[in-house]
Amino acid sequence: MKNTETSPTALNLPVVDPLPEDTQKYFDLCAEKLGLIPNVLRAHAFDIAKLDAFAGLYNELMLAPSGLSKLEREMIAVVVSAENRCFYCLVAHGQAVRALSGDPILGEMLVMNYRMAQLAPNQRAMLDFSLKMTKSSATIEEADRQTLRDVGYVDRDIWDIANVAAFFNMTNRVASATQMQPNSEYHGQNR
């Protein structure tokens, strides 16, 4: 894969060329299933070990079996990214919420103020916990975990909520620090 497209970040870190066969297959699969290669993957592709570590953790947190639905994990991504004002993740994961929920208004409400959205009590508690982790993780205590248990989450779910929220806090900071740009396709544009 030639890096003839504009860089997905403000950094001059060209994609490895040629990509290793397994990486090229992964990118081809993304293009087939998503209609694009997410810029976050292209951004990491200057170092295949970093790309593999990122993709492995993302896939484990966002796609592996969990008590949380894929939509709920994307909702966490959007609420964390809204607090952190991460343009890349708000665009990419806001689009995922719209697609998974079939509700374009839900995605926008989560971006602007999730408290205004019509959410199930367990989802609101999940997002409250994720926001508290984002704003002041050191203040989380047993009462916060118990609130999640009280609305039906088991400890494994709490682990997943915490890990998804933490992952997006990390990736938000990397995306913002490198001025990572979302793919134009997320906006319904092909450039």
Side-chain angles (χ1 to χ4, degrees), residues 57-78:
L57 185 55
Y58 175 88
N59 290 336
E60 179 61 32
L61 293 173
M62 298 300 286
L63 303 174
S66 170
L68 305 178
S69 69
K70 174 75 171 129
L71 174 59
E72 288 170 327
R73 289 178 267 185
E74 291 291 351
M75 291 167 69
I76 293 169
V78 172

Side-chain angles (χ1 to χ4, degrees), residues 146-182:
Q146 190 58 49
T147 296
L148 292 173
R149 290 183 192 108
D150 291 345
V151 293
Y153 291 111
V154 297
D155 284 2
R156 170 58 199 266
D157 300 332
I158 296 169
W159 177 266
D160 289 351
I161 292 166
N163 274 268
V164 171
F167 178 79
F168 281 96
N169 273 291
M170 188 261 311
T171 60
N172 288 170
R173 285 154 175 76
V174 172
S176 293
T178 63
Q179 196 178 348
M180 192 177 296
Q181 295 299 305

Side-chain angles (χ1 to χ4, degrees), residues 72 76 122-130 148 153 161:
E72 288 170 327
I76 293 169
N122 67 320
Q123 291 174 331
R124 185 167 310 280
M126 171 191 75
L127 297 176
D128 288 343
F129 185 89
S130 299
L148 292 173
Y153 291 111
I161 292 166

